[in-house]
Amino acid sequence: MIDVESIVFSTVANALRVEFPDIFVSGEFVDVPARFPAVTIVESDNAIVQRMRTTSIENAVTVMYEVGIYTN
């Protein structure tokens, strides 16, 4: 599995923190955020693109992220 979740999360979270210094950012779904504004960034799917696979090597994946935005 090609895992880019930490790279995507860090890139987006860092950009949000620059723009909104008091933002709460989580990599997991949160029912009730610790504070507002808040954003959750969760990888919902990471599927291998079978036609791009060679022998036992994964060359490409399709990823999907769900972003939740919370404010008061």
Side-chain angles (χ1 to χ4, degrees):
M1 175 173 67
I2 298 172
D3 187 13
V4 295
E5 184 176 10
S6 62
I7 296 167
V8 171
F9 177 83
S10 296
T11 302
V12 175
N14 289 338
L16 287 169
R17 289 179 180 128
V18 166
E19 189 69 28
F20 308 99
D22 295 331
I23 197 165
F24 172 75
V25 183
S26 175
E28 298 177 1
F29 175 75
V30 178
D31 256 349
V32 180
R35 63 184 183 277
F36 295 103
V39 172
T40 58
I41 306 164
V42 181
E43 186 175 270
S44 300
D45 193 18
N46 185 330
I48 301 166
V49 179
Q50 292 297 333
R51 63 184 171 83
M52 300 290 291
R53 189 174 187 166
T54 55
T55 47
S56 61
I57 300 171
E58 298 169 9
N59 296 307
V61 294
T62 300
V63 293
M64 178 173 60
Y65 287 87
E66 182 175 340
V67 177
I69 302 169
Y70 306 87
T71 186
N72 56 355

